[in-house]
Amino acid sequence: MTAGALARRGFSDSTRALRLVEEAGLDPRADTDVIDALAEAPDPDQALLGLIRVLEAAPDPDEVLAVLREDPDLRTRLCGVLGTSTALTDHLARHPGDWRELRGADAARTPEPEELRRGLLHTVGADPDSPAPTAAVFDGGSLDGLRHTLRVAYRRRVLRLAGRDLSGLCTVDEVAAELADLAAAALDAALAVARAEHPEDAARCRLAVIGMGKCGGRELNYVSDVDVVFVAEPAEVPGGEEPVDEQAAMRAATRLATAMMRIPSETDAEGVLWEVDPALRPEGKNGPLVRPLSSHLAYYERWAKTWEFQALLKARPIAGDAELGAAYQAAISPLVWEAAGRRDFVEDVQAMRRRVVAHIPAGQAERELKLGPGGLRDIEFSVQLLQLVHGRTDERLRSGHTLDALAALSEHGYVGRKDAAGLADAYRFLRRVEHLLQLERLRRTHMMPDPASPDGPGQLRRLGRALGYTADPVRELTEARRKVSAEVRRLHEKLFYRPLLNAVARLPEEEARLSPDQARARLEALGFADPGGALRHLESLTSGVSRRAAIQRTLLPVMLGWFSDAPDPDAGLLGFRQVSDALGTTPWYLRLLRDDVRVAERMAWLLGTSRYVTDLLLRAPDAVAMLADDADLERRGPEVLAGEAEAALRRYDWSEESVSAVRALRRRELLRTAAADLLGVSSVQEVGAALTDIAAVTVEAALKVACNRVVAESGDEPLTRVCVVAMGRFGGGELTYASDADVMYVHDPLPGADPDAATRQALAIVRELARLLEMPAAEPPLKVDTDLRPEGRSGPVVRTLDSYAAYYGRWSQVWESQALLRARPIAGDPGLRASFTALIDPIRYPADGLDASAVLEIRKLKARMEAERLPRGADPTLHTKLGRGGLSDVEWVAQLVQLRHAHAYPDLRTTSTLEALEVAVAHGFLGADDGAVLERAWRLASRVRGMVMLVRGRGGDSLPTDLRVRAALAEAMGCHRGAEAEDGEEVAEGPAERLVEVYLRTTRRARSVMEHAFYDD
């Protein structure tokens, strides 16, 4: 055989390979069978180097070569191991005779679990038939020697299994089951060694080891953490002897368990076998390592969360006291199948989903076999969730093994046969890839090689060849992995939701069909409070043979998952049905849903989150088109809005219709702004500015109509100029969805006009303006509020410019100067706007700032407002407007700075709170840290106020006391995605608790800043 022939067989450096073949004692011409076996290994070069190491370590290399030439089964197994696993090659070099583990009938046979257990117990000199096997030291050995002997024996068993695995003698399911049985046997033998090390402790207690996770489900990897839970009881004593104290027994069992766990995780020449992980025990790492059975039951009955029952789904006694282990399983198992009926089941399920996503390391999702999109966790989560939901009433589904459970779900009608087969194939592929990755170095990993790393392409090539891809291993492996992941994602989304449609629609018989009760159970698990109503909506949307029904049948399996992720799935599905009914067979709507799934996803979230958005969308369903692109949701400038309002006015001849058209424009902008807010496209400042702009444009348009109508109906000529001045949040560009438009009206009689007649005309105009804005109609009203005018409700609604000048010149108080800080003319005669601004500037920006008495008066006003204006029964820590650290605290700090210093610093002359804070920090009137604290509190309080309106459909100034509403509010604000406090401290687990904790922390800091910035000189 020439170097060229070796190159054609897959050796990367054929010249070097030819030399190594000869060094190994092989004849290139006569030993073609051996060379071909090496070439067929996943990595021929690695296999050849490994063979040389084995031969160098062997006492009789000629014997190894002779058997290799004669035994084709050994050739296949040994070359496969050498070309796949450097760790097992190292083992063969350390233990030169262990190549015989790959030879003969035993090497091809799958051992029974009891055979593995008895074999490893014999290895440590323990009696397998004893109720509590105890290791025995022999031939002058030591316990340390026993531990090492056990670890070597375990590796030999892994070597034998790998030989069968890599030569195709067992399936991935059988490999995983044997690895779990082998781990259980190793733990039983390790416990025997621990009993020998602590004989007094062994006499005091009975200890059972419960396998969890993959070990409990008999689907372990080559290198996985072995999840366990320990249960113990005092040892039984002969009659007449003092019984063992329970606490003493628990201490003894803890020492035994600790000694047992050390053995597999010790580091020596054999390396770490695997870690024993007891973190799934009650209370996790904070709980005692060992508990009696009664303590386990008390915890699970009172404190356990749904995810803990999901973990217990795979619980199985694997080592230690068999009778106690069986008692544990019998006591715990019924609790697992009651979990889906718990009140907090839905919330826990959603938290489990979020936990899966959160555990994906940044930038590694695409290479993650376990946690990444379309990975193993997607399959396991889907299967386990279906088991929890339907296993309550159907005991046939109660298997801890993923593939067995999936087969049962399919056989009994909960999952379609094709879907189950596709998911099972994907699961086996991913587990096979995972096994091969771990075999290389016998290290725990779920990560595909990085093709950009130096060794990445070579690792991918070896992995592809091990999976049988020979033409272009890297490309074929990459395409196969991508295809499998995409299929898993599709089936993950379909598996839980598709059968719900089959329960109400006439779909092919080969699909899984749930009974009405089963469908209701599944909908309850998704968070639907009214599963019967949800089924009726599904039937309405999907029944029939129309194109619309076909598209809905395609979309809804995915959309049901999105609805279930929203705070109110029932409202989301109902809203979707109503929008779909309203649009009927509109061609563009069906096309949009079919071709742009992002629109459907956004619809599901918005409809299931916001009553406010749902109401707006139902008034004009065609607005759903704006969800297709973020650019369509961005704030549009006031000039664009004013142009559209002008066009709307020109289309109609009389006032109600023309103003209704402008109010329809406002409704569309409200929907645009709300959607952008909920989808995270706009900031709280952009939301306030957008709401203010459309309100100002609407007022301007209505004022034009009101002026024209009043003048026309009176038969008079125009007698006066009118101007609308925005006040409060309207003037500051900080409107919320629930805000009234605070305004003042100014008029200025035209030359020669009778002043009284001009005033009557101005009053008629502003009353008509208010009527047009607030008249009952399909479009949302815009309520105007004039309470901030001079003399409040006792003063005239509209004044002349001269009257304002006279009033402010003689009667103006400090609070009115403060109110004028946010006054901004927004509609009416441009000249009058400018004149009014010139009139009020000296009043709100006093020439010499504020004297001490004025500052004292403002402080008294603030204190009185806190004492008198907070609604009765309101929690001052949770009231966003008047509460501690809320909007009022921040705004009064900014306004006091403006009143004191804006006369000297023109850039302080702004109606915006945040701009005023920024300028105050720039000029040193506020510290940078204090400014940041106040800004953060203002943004958070403003966002909470806005979200209350969006979620409930009605305004509110406090965080809701209703826990469901508070949780919905928290999810709408993104608190379900997790967060940390500003100082890096972790915050509460649940979204509602997280929101309250962050809000209280933020406002508490803001209150502290306000108290020294506002009250201290």
Side-chain angles (χ1 to χ4, degrees):
M1 185 177 293
T2 63
L6 290 175
R8 288 190 294 274
R9 282 169 167 76
F11 291 91
S12 59
D13 186 342
S14 55
T15 303
R16 176 172 174 265
L18 183 60
R19 186 179 71 252
L20 292 174
V21 164
E22 293 171 347
E23 286 182 12
L26 295 170
D27 185 337
R29 288 166 298 189
D31 290 325
T32 55
D33 289 344
V34 177
I35 295 171
D36 285 344
L38 291 169
E40 289 169 3
D43 187 333
D45 300 279
Q46 181 178 303
L48 179 56
L49 287 171
L51 177 60
I52 290 175
R53 290 185 62 198
V54 169
L55 293 172
E56 288 174 346
D60 187 353
D62 291 338
E63 178 193 6
V64 178
L65 287 174
V67 176
L68 270 177
R69 293 174 179 125
E70 296 167 3
D71 188 339
D73 293 332
L74 173 67
R75 269 202 307 273
T76 300
R77 293 172 201 149
L78 180 59
C79 292
V81 167
L82 296 174
T84 301
S85 176
T86 56
L88 290 176
T89 301
D90 291 342
H91 175 89
L92 288 168
R94 285 193 306 272
H95 305 283
D98 279 5
W99 60 270
R100 295 184 177 87
E101 295 289 327
L102 301 173
R103 185 184 185 192
D106 276 351
R109 181 179 57 82
T110 299
E112 293 296 323
E114 181 60 17
E115 178 186 341
L116 295 173
R117 174 181 173 274
R118 298 179 76 86
L120 291 186
L121 284 171
H122 279 305
T123 297
V124 297
D127 179 6
D129 296 319
S130 168
T134 303
V137 176
F138 45 85
D139 295 336
S142 65
L143 286 174
D144 286 343
L146 277 186
R147 294 189 188 95
H148 179 71
T149 300
L150 173 59
R151 292 158 59 78
V152 172
Y154 177 87
R155 282 279 189 251
R156 287 195 180 107
R157 279 293 185 178
V158 171
L159 172 65
R160 188 181 292 187
L161 173 59
R164 282 186 282 116
D165 183 7
L166 296 169
S167 58
L169 292 180
C170 50
T171 66
V172 68
D173 314 22
E174 292 168 336
V175 171
E178 185 173 335
L179 285 167
D181 295 337
L182 184 55
L187 287 177
D188 230 351
L191 182 56
V193 175
R195 289 192 186 103
E197 186 177 1
H198 303 281
E200 293 182 357
D201 289 331
R204 291 192 183 101
C205 65
R206 300 163 60 205
L207 177 65
V209 184
I210 310 299
M212 307 285 281
K214 287 184 169 61
C215 186
R218 294 190 76 227
E219 46 193 15
L220 200 63
N221 296 325
Y222 276 97
V223 188
S224 279
D225 288 352
V226 174
D227 297 311
V228 298
V229 166
F230 295 105
V231 57
E233 295 290 343
E236 298 176 0
V237 297
E241 292 190 19
E242 188 73 22
V244 179
D245 173 72
E246 183 175 87
Q247 293 301 316
M250 294 308 108
R251 289 192 294 271
T254 299
R255 286 188 287 271
L256 283 179
T258 302
M260 182 205 78
M261 290 193 298
R262 256 197 327 265
I263 295 175
S265 59
E266 287 174 338
T267 301
D268 61 9
E270 301 303 317
V272 175
L273 302 185
W274 24 261
E275 297 288 340
V276 181
D277 188 352
L280 291 177
R281 66 187 185 269
E283 300 180 76
K285 295 179 180 178
N286 296 321
L289 180 65
V290 177
R291 290 175 183 256
L293 179 55
S294 60
S295 177
H296 279 280
L297 281 172
Y299 175 82
Y300 289 119
E301 288 171 349
R302 296 187 60 188
W303 308 111
K305 295 184 180 296
T306 301
W307 72 263
E308 293 179 277
F309 292 107
Q310 184 178 3
L312 285 170
L313 196 150
K314 293 179 178 290
R316 174 177 66 95
I318 58 171
D321 191 297
E323 183 180 339
L324 180 56
Y328 174 92
Q329 188 169 30
I332 294 296
S333 182
L335 300 179
V336 173
W337 304 109
E338 296 169 4
R342 291 159 55 97
R343 185 178 61 183
D344 55 354
F345 178 75
V346 173
E347 290 78 6
D348 284 344
V349 165
Q350 292 170 339
M352 283 188 282
R353 288 177 181 164
R354 292 191 289 270
R355 195 175 290 115
V356 169
V357 176
H359 282 146
I360 301 177
Q364 296 183 0
E366 292 304 315
R367 295 195 292 123
E368 257 279 359
L369 290 170
K370 181 178 180 181
L371 301 176
L376 288 161
R377 186 60 59 84
D378 275 354
I379 302 173
E380 294 165 348
F381 185 89
S382 297
V383 172
Q384 291 166 19
L385 193 54
L386 289 173
Q387 286 182 275
L388 288 173
V389 172
H390 299 296
R392 295 176 66 190
T393 55
D394 193 340
E395 296 184 3
R396 298 170 298 182
L397 309 180
R398 300 180 180 182
S399 170
H401 189 276
T402 300
L403 293 177
D404 289 349
L406 183 56
L409 286 164
S410 174
E411 180 183 351
H412 302 299
Y414 298 95
V415 178
R417 289 191 293 273
K418 289 183 180 178
D419 291 347
L423 214 57
D425 289 345
Y427 183 79
R428 290 187 175 98
F429 172 85
L430 292 170
R431 290 300 304 274
R432 176 74 175 149
V433 174
E434 189 179 41
H435 284 176
L436 290 168
L437 284 171
Q438 294 182 353
L439 264 177
E440 208 277 319
R441 297 185 182 277
L442 287 180
R443 291 179 183 171
R444 182 173 179 266
T445 181
H446 315 286
M447 194 73 63
M448 290 287 286
D450 183 357
S453 67
D455 297 333
Q459 293 173 328
L460 286 169
R461 180 175 181 273
R462 178 167 60 246
L463 191 58
R465 282 174 57 92
L467 289 164
Y469 303 123
T470 55
D472 186 345
V474 175
R475 180 184 60 78
E476 291 177 86
L477 169 62
T478 303
E479 289 180 358
R481 162 84 198 294
R482 187 181 297 115
K483 182 179 179 181
V484 165
S485 295
E487 181 71 356
V488 170
R489 287 305 295 172
R490 184 185 71 83
L491 292 174
H492 171 67
E493 291 162 348
K494 178 182 177 183
L495 194 66
F496 202 76
Y497 311 116
R498 174 78 178 191
L500 288 167
L501 306 192
N502 302 349
V504 298
R506 295 179 179 177
L507 299 179
E509 286 299 326
E510 65 268 14
E511 295 283 355
R513 188 176 299 280
L514 302 179
S515 71
D517 287 342
Q518 293 165 348
R520 286 187 179 91
R522 193 171 294 196
L523 283 164
E524 285 177 356
L526 287 172
F528 286 86
D530 180 13
L535 286 173
R536 289 191 295 273
H537 299 324
L538 292 175
E539 184 173 12
S540 171
L541 287 163
T542 60
S543 294
V545 295
S546 68
R547 181 165 170 268
R548 170 191 163 196
I551 292 176
Q552 304 285 33
R553 286 197 292 268
T554 301
L555 278 171
L556 277 166
V558 182
M559 292 192 71
L560 281 169
W562 295 330
F563 288 133
S564 73
D565 288 334
D568 191 344
D570 298 85
L573 182 55
L574 171 61
F576 183 72
R577 176 184 174 181
Q578 291 171 327
V579 171
S580 296
D581 287 346
L583 290 172
T585 56
T586 308
W588 66 262
Y589 174 66
L590 295 171
R591 237 184 352 260
L592 186 65
L593 291 181
R594 182 195 63 203
D595 299 338
D596 193 345
V597 73
R598 188 184 191 196
V599 174
E601 181 178 7
R602 287 179 157 185
M603 277 186 72
W605 170 252
L606 293 173
L607 294 171
T609 301
S610 173
R611 295 185 183 180
Y612 183 82
V613 167
T614 301
D615 182 59
L616 291 174
L617 193 55
L618 290 177
R619 296 185 189 199
D622 58 320
V624 72
M626 71 173 62
L627 301 178
D629 192 340
D630 283 356
D632 292 334
L633 296 176
E634 292 175 355
R635 174 191 171 199
R636 298 196 298 162
E639 298 82 5
V640 174
L641 297 175
E644 292 187 9
E646 283 289 337
L649 293 180
R650 288 195 296 268
R651 286 199 296 270
Y652 299 96
D653 297 330
W654 63 296
S655 57
E656 279 81 359
E657 287 186 340
S658 56
V659 173
S660 289
V662 176
R663 284 172 58 176
L665 168 64
R666 177 170 174 265
R667 186 248 309 134
R668 285 193 294 273
E669 293 308 308
L670 291 176
L671 176 59
R672 188 192 315 277
T673 304
D677 192 357
L678 286 163
L679 295 171
V681 175
S682 296
S683 67
V684 68
Q685 268 181 295
E686 291 168 331
V687 168
L691 295 173
T692 301
D693 287 345
I694 188 56
V697 167
T698 304
V699 170
E700 175 77 56
L703 179 61
K704 291 178 181 178
V705 172
C707 288
N708 291 337
R709 183 169 187 179
V710 167
V711 170
E713 289 183 352
S714 68
D716 295 331
E717 294 294 322
L719 302 176
T720 188
R721 301 180 298 163
V722 179
C723 163
V724 181
V725 180
M727 302 290 288
R729 300 193 184 284
F730 193 10
E734 301 162 352
L735 280 184
T736 66
Y737 304 100
S739 295
D740 292 342
D742 292 316
V743 299
M744 294 195 307
Y745 298 120
V746 187
H747 83 102
D748 188 28
L750 294 173
D754 176 63
D756 292 338
T759 296
R760 286 193 297 272
Q761 187 180 82
L763 184 59
I765 289 171
V766 299
R767 285 175 175 168
E768 177 65 5
L769 167 66
R771 187 189 73 82
L772 291 170
L773 292 174
E774 300 176 25
M775 64 182 179
E779 311 303 340
L782 176 59
K783 187 178 185 304
V784 290
D785 188 334
T786 59
D787 286 354
L788 291 178
R789 66 187 186 270
E791 301 177 83
R793 294 180 182 179
S794 302
V797 173
V798 59
R799 290 175 181 261
T800 65
L801 186 63
D802 291 341
S803 176
Y804 276 104
Y807 175 84
Y808 288 132
R810 294 185 62 186
W811 309 108
S812 177
Q813 300 180 50
V814 174
W815 74 265
E816 290 177 300
S817 297
Q818 185 178 356
L820 288 172
L821 286 170
R822 294 205 284 187
R824 180 167 60 95
I826 50 95
D829 184 85
L832 185 55
R833 294 195 212 182
S835 298
F836 184 79
T837 301
L839 169 66
I840 64 173
D841 275 355
I843 300 164
R844 57 182 173 177
Y845 310 131
D848 296 318
L850 296 180
D851 58 26
S853 63
V855 171
L856 180 60
E857 183 178 349
I858 287 179
R859 290 172 176 166
K860 288 180 179 178
L861 283 170
K862 177 73 168 71
R864 189 165 73 240
M865 184 190 72
E866 289 185 20
E868 297 175 0
R869 291 186 58 193
L870 191 70
R872 180 178 298 178
D875 185 342
T877 64
L878 299 179
H879 198 278
T880 60
K881 184 177 179 182
L882 302 175
R884 298 166 193 158
L887 294 169
S888 176
D889 277 0
V890 178
E891 291 162 358
W892 282 62
V893 169
Q895 290 161 15
L896 182 58
V897 171
Q898 290 179 289
L899 289 169
R900 281 176 148 179
H901 304 290
H903 67 286
Y905 296 88
D907 49 354
L908 271 174
R909 299 174 189 178
T910 174
T911 61
S912 165
T913 301
L914 293 186
E915 287 182 16
L917 287 176
E918 183 180 348
V919 176
V921 168
H923 290 301
F925 303 129
L926 274 176
D929 290 343
D930 288 349
V933 167
L934 293 176
E935 177 189 346
R936 194 176 302 121
W938 189 93
R939 288 181 184 276
L940 179 57
S942 296
R943 184 157 170 75
V944 168
R945 288 188 83 205
M947 285 294 166
V948 167
M949 180 66 174
L950 290 178
V951 169
R952 300 195 311 179
R954 63 181 190 276
D957 290 324
S958 289
L959 278 171
T961 55
D962 185 295
L963 294 180
R964 289 183 64 86
V965 177
R966 184 179 287 181
L969 178 69
E971 291 193 50
M973 293 181 63
C975 295
H976 61 289
R977 290 189 288 271
E980 288 188 355
E982 292 298 329
D983 57 7
E985 299 174 7
E986 291 188 2
V987 296
E989 173 69 19
E993 292 83 358
R994 184 179 296 124
L995 171 61
V996 172
E997 188 171 330
V998 170
Y999 183 84
L1000 290 176
R1001 180 182 286 119
T1002 303
T1003 53
R1004 186 168 59 244
R1005 292 171 177 169
R1007 180 69 177 189
S1008 176
V1009 170
M1010 186 281 292
E1011 287 177 346
H1012 73 74
F1014 187 78
Y1015 288 111
D1016 293 346
D1017 287 321

